Amino acid sequence: MCIRDSRHIVCSGFKLEQAELERLKTLGIRVVEDKKTEHFSILVMKEPRRTVNFLRAINMGAEIVSYEWLEKCVENIAPIEDYLMKAPELEEKYKFNLAESLQTVRDAEEGGFLAGWSFWVPKYIKPSLEEMKSLIESADGQVTKSKPKKEKKKDDEGVIILLNSKEDPDYEHFKGLGFTVHSPESVIVGCLRQEFDITQNVIE
């Protein structure tokens, strides 16, 4: 899902003062209020962190810029390309390339990397169900409300179960039905790399 509207932004990790909001408004820049569901095309951060907003920004092919970009938007909108966020430590830790992942989204012609996948996510999941749902749906995956109750069949191959650990109350239920159980990291790391590796982050 690639959204490219250069005037819809999200600020992550800090809040804007009223004077800053008014200044941006005069430039035609709208600050998105509902960060978990609304689409945006620019994410502003003071430092790169693996937040839900950061992951959603990658899924949407949004520009990710430093706070300095906002500071430069005084009388005119500053050039985005001069303030793109760098994330070398995150890239090394999670084995991804931010620029390449963003370009993958922007070049995609048939939806996000989770298109065709359906996820069952319990209410007690961490990160929260709301946050996981926003990540999955921003990558064109689906979250099903119906808890699988029967033995896994061929039609269930596209259904992924997300749990935090073997201690979760639903683990034995799904293992008994023949489902492979994944941790939320399978989606989170997938957002960073823009690929879903079904063999990784399996809870066994």
Side-chain angles (χ1 to χ4, degrees), residues 17 19 33 42 49 56 68 91 94-95 104 108 110 113 126 130 140 155 165 168 170 186 193:
E17 300 292 336
E33 295 182 1
I42 299 176
R49 295 172 56 226
R56 287 190 71 227
E68 285 72 25
E91 291 177 326
Y94 296 106
K95 309 303 179 186
T104 294
E110 299 182 358
F113 79 98
K126 294 181 181 180
E130 182 184 20
D140 293 327
D155 292 344
S165 72
D168 284 4
D170 289 294
S186 62
R193 300 174 182 171

Side-chain angles (χ1 to χ4, degrees), residues 41-52:
S41 59
I42 299 176
L43 173 66
V44 185
M45 307 181 80
K46 290 190 174 181
E47 61 180 354
R49 295 172 56 226
R50 203 182 68 157
T51 64
V52 171

Side-chain angles (χ1 to χ4, degrees), residues 62 119 123 130 172 178:
F119 294 80
K123 292 181 180 179
E130 182 184 20
E172 293 299 333

Side-chain angles (χ1 to χ4, degrees), residues 48-50 87-97 185 188-189 192-193:
R49 295 172 56 226
R50 203 182 68 157
E89 293 182 3
L90 280 181
E91 291 177 326
E92 181 177 358
K93 182 175 182 178
Y94 296 106
K95 309 303 179 186
F96 79 106
N97 181 289
E185 282 294 301
I188 293 170
V189 174
L192 296 173
R193 300 174 182 171

Side-chain angles (χ1 to χ4, degrees), residues 32-143:
V32 171
E33 295 182 1
D34 190 342
K35 300 178 182 180
K36 292 186 176 66
T37 60
E38 257 191 284
H39 296 145
F40 56 90
S41 59
I42 299 176
L43 173 66
V44 185
M45 307 181 80
K46 290 190 174 181
E47 61 180 354
R49 295 172 56 226
R50 203 182 68 157
T51 64
V52 171
N53 286 328
F54 182 73
L55 299 171
R56 287 190 71 227
I58 297 176
N59 287 346
M60 293 188 289
E63 303 286 6
I64 304 175
V65 300
S66 66
Y67 180 73
E68 285 72 25
W69 176 76
L70 275 185
E71 293 181 315
K72 296 296 182 180
C73 291
V74 180
E75 296 181 354
N76 297 292
I77 299 177
I80 288 286
E81 57 272 16
D82 294 341
Y83 301 95
L84 296 178
M85 179 66 71
K86 307 295 183 183
E89 293 182 3
L90 280 181
E91 291 177 326
E92 181 177 358
K93 182 175 182 178
Y94 296 106
K95 309 303 179 186
F96 79 106
N97 181 289
L98 179 57
E100 290 180 3
S101 293
L102 288 169
Q103 197 58 50
T104 294
V105 178
R106 295 163 186 168
D107 292 342
E109 297 179 356
E110 299 182 358
F113 79 98
L114 290 180
W117 292 100
S118 181
F119 294 80
W120 184 82
V121 187
K123 292 181 180 179
Y124 54 79
I125 199 77
K126 294 181 181 180
S128 71
L129 172 57
E130 182 184 20
E131 291 172 327
M132 291 306 301
K133 188 172 185 291
S134 71
L135 293 181
I136 291 167
E137 292 181 346
S138 65
D140 293 327
Q142 294 184 331
V143 175

Side-chain angles (χ1 to χ4, degrees), residues 164-182:
N164 287 115
S165 72
K166 295 171 66 174
E167 282 66 46
D168 284 4
D170 289 294
Y171 178 77
E172 293 299 333
H173 167 79
F174 287 114
K175 291 298 288 185
L177 295 179
F179 283 89
T180 301
V181 178
H182 289 76

